[in-house]
Amino acid sequence: MNIILFETDQRNCLLPLCYTRPVALLRTGILTILEKWKMRLSGNYSFKTVPYLKEKFPLRVENDNLLVSSHFCPTDQLVEAIAQLGFFQGIKYQGFPLAVRLPEEDAKMYPQVSTTIQWSDFAGELDLVRYVWDLNTVCESQIRLDFNLLTRGRKSVTPSPTNQIIAPENVFIEEGAKVECSVINASSGPVYIGKDAEIMEGSLVRGPFAMSEHAVLNMGTKVYGPVSIGPHCKVGGEVSHSILLGYSNKGHDGFLGHSILGEWCNIGAGTNVSNLKNSYDKVKVWSYPENKFIRTGLQFCGLIMGDHSKVGINTMFNTGTVVGVGCNVYGAGFPRQFVPSFSAGGGQGYKVQQLKSVFETAAQVMARRKSVFTDADQRLLTTIFEQSEVYRKF
């Protein structure tokens, strides 16, 4: 089956994380949204996304296509309903188009199609990702669902006797993972430790918690779930209710709470993030489509950071701060609560972070993880630089 993961204009509420990727490559729980679909519904997957992302994430259309919304996390019940769809039949959830089956030309033109679609409503419960902070809101339920999906019918590696583990039946360790002299409490939620991941000595982990392949918890790390750490991340200090999409480092002491970091980010030693206002009021966060701060309805919300951004030592972030792509944040005082993409500076002012500098740093950082910063990556960041210029009013 040819499966196309499509997006709506709601993707703009998922910036800056979706500046550099389709919605389906966002992570919540253990897996990305794409990985969740692949594990439940076999087929050839591609993306119907914004034009400038198509070079890296091309669209594939065939005679028979199943279009599925990237904004929904799948369940077994949903997949069963989708499998019953015929041509020009679709499913909605709370008024949002969820899935539709279309022939080639209509799939290319969707949502404009040649024939009226017969819609039915999905009656089950689903996790919907409309805003960036939704990734954290649904993370706990998604860790539980992904844990069951990944471990069903499988047996965990036996943990080392040097560890103290509470509720070991809720802990799953993949082959090649190293866990020594740590305390893991899975009584409040499952703990998943990916292939070749490592939890160093003295770490304290309370589930729900997930770390992907080659991720590392440095010595003495304290984790309060739900927390999801993507592949090749290094984490230290204190972390609570946060997601690292992958290939990012917060390796030192300091607090990260109710936050989401993109890929290829680095958080300097001693950096702290406020996730609760002194007044205990609900948090406002910058909205790209509305070009202003909007109410989240959340009492807890920390830092949201786009790809390739870096933070100097001892930086302090206010509640609900949004940092764009390719930023370099440093200096005394609190940075603004909205730092536009390709900004350099902090509480004492900003200047433009030039593309050449971003390219040089990205190439070095990615090489350390045996990845290549390609010409396509340069073109992508150049487009984002141009699109985000409107926000850089220094």
Side-chain angles (χ1 to χ4, degrees):
M1 181 172 289
N2 191 56
I3 303 168
I4 300 170
L5 293 169
F6 73 88
E7 305 166 356
T8 68
D9 290 342
Q10 192 69 36
R11 77 177 314 278
N12 295 324
C13 295
L14 295 164
L15 299 177
L17 299 179
C18 281
Y19 263 137
T20 47
R21 60 177 58 78
V23 173
L25 295 184
L26 295 174
R27 183 180 306 277
T28 183
I30 303 174
L31 304 168
T32 66
I33 295 172
L34 170 63
E35 290 167 342
K36 298 174 195 293
W37 280 104
K38 280 187 170 182
M39 289 200 68
R40 287 183 167 88
L41 187 62
S42 61
N44 298 313
Y45 281 80
S46 66
F47 309 93
K48 191 176 179 68
T49 184
V50 290
Y52 76 88
L53 287 177
K54 289 181 179 179
E55 181 181 8
K56 287 193 68 175
F57 308 101
L59 171 65
R60 173 177 175 170
V61 183
E62 296 185 354
N63 293 330
D64 188 354
N65 306 279
L66 181 63
L67 284 84
V68 178
S69 173
S70 299
H71 297 272
F72 290 91
C73 299
T75 62
D76 293 341
Q77 182 186 356
L78 174 59
V79 170
E80 290 175 7
I82 288 175
Q84 306 303 316
L85 292 176
F87 277 127
F88 297 101
Q89 292 182 336
I91 300 173
K92 288 186 175 183
Y93 180 77
Q94 296 181 355
F96 296 98
L98 200 161
V100 61
R101 186 174 174 184
L102 295 173
E104 182 174 358
E105 291 306 315
D106 292 278
K108 290 178 181 178
M109 297 300 295
Y110 182 82
Q112 288 77 37
V113 297
S114 61
T115 302
T116 301
I117 297 172
Q118 297 178 349
W119 295 102
S120 60
D121 292 323
F122 182 72
E125 292 295 324
L126 295 174
D127 285 337
L128 171 62
V129 178
R130 298 181 61 199
Y131 298 93
V132 177
W133 52 85
D134 289 338
L135 295 169
N136 257 337
T137 302
V138 305
C139 190
E140 178 169 354
S141 64
Q142 285 300 308
I143 288 178
R144 295 178 189 276
L145 286 171
D146 290 347
F147 184 88
N148 292 335
L149 185 67
L150 287 166
T151 65
R152 189 180 300 158
R154 301 176 62 219
K155 186 176 180 180
S156 169
V157 168
T158 302
S160 166
T162 64
N163 299 292
Q164 182 175 351
I165 298 180
I166 303 168
E169 67 276 8
N170 294 331
V171 176
F172 194 95
I173 304 173
E174 296 281 7
E175 291 287 343
K178 301 176 183 177
V179 187
E180 297 289 351
C181 299
S182 296
V183 177
I184 299 175
N185 183 353
S187 61
S188 56
V191 172
Y192 176 84
I193 303 168
K195 183 179 179 181
D196 297 320
E198 182 176 9
I199 299 181
M200 294 185 181
E201 307 90 282
S203 294
L204 305 173
V205 176
R206 177 183 288 268
F209 171 70
M211 58 191 304
S212 299
E213 63 271 15
H214 299 283
V216 175
L217 292 188
N218 287 337
M219 289 191 296
T221 303
K222 295 179 285 187
V223 175
Y224 303 83
V227 167
S228 176
I229 299 173
H232 295 272
C233 290
K234 292 184 178 180
V235 173
E238 184 178 358
V239 181
S240 173
H241 289 73
S242 294
I243 300 171
L244 283 70
L245 296 190
Y247 299 91
S248 289
N249 293 340
K250 182 232 170 285
H252 305 283
D253 284 345
F255 175 68
L256 184 73
H258 290 83
S259 299
I260 306 169
L261 305 185
E263 294 184 340
W264 310 110
C265 298
N266 189 73
I267 306 296
T271 294
N272 287 289
V273 175
S274 169
N275 62 344
L276 174 67
K277 299 176 71 171
N278 286 349
S279 63
Y280 285 63
D281 287 340
K282 300 295 175 63
V283 181
K284 291 183 178 180
V285 168
W286 178 261
S287 167
Y288 283 86
E290 297 190 42
N291 200 31
K292 65 180 183 180
F293 290 91
I294 64 171
R295 298 181 185 276
T296 64
L298 302 174
Q299 192 173 49
F300 291 90
C301 187
L303 171 67
I304 298 165
M305 177 175 284
D307 290 9
H308 295 288
S309 285
K310 309 294 186 285
V311 178
I313 63 170
N314 295 323
T315 302
M316 300 179 294
F317 285 104
N318 261 313
T319 318
T321 296
V322 175
V323 176
V325 173
C327 293
N328 185 11
V329 182
Y330 57 84
F334 286 90
R336 297 177 183 174
Q337 285 178 271
F338 171 53
V339 181
S341 296
F342 304 98
S343 299
Q348 297 178 331
Y350 295 87
K351 62 182 180 180
V352 176
Q353 179 81 343
Q354 298 297 332
L355 279 173
K356 181 182 178 182
S357 176
V358 175
F359 292 167
E360 290 173 350
T361 301
Q364 294 184 64
V365 170
M366 293 176 71
R368 296 176 71 235
R369 296 286 190 273
K370 296 181 172 57
S371 294
V372 178
F373 183 65
T374 65
D375 291 342
D377 293 323
Q378 287 195 25
R379 288 189 288 272
L380 174 59
L381 290 179
T382 300
T383 299
I384 297 167
F385 182 87
E386 294 167 353
Q387 289 188 359
S388 60
E389 183 178 4
V390 63
Y391 302 109
R392 292 191 293 274
K393 300 175 182 178
F394 306 143

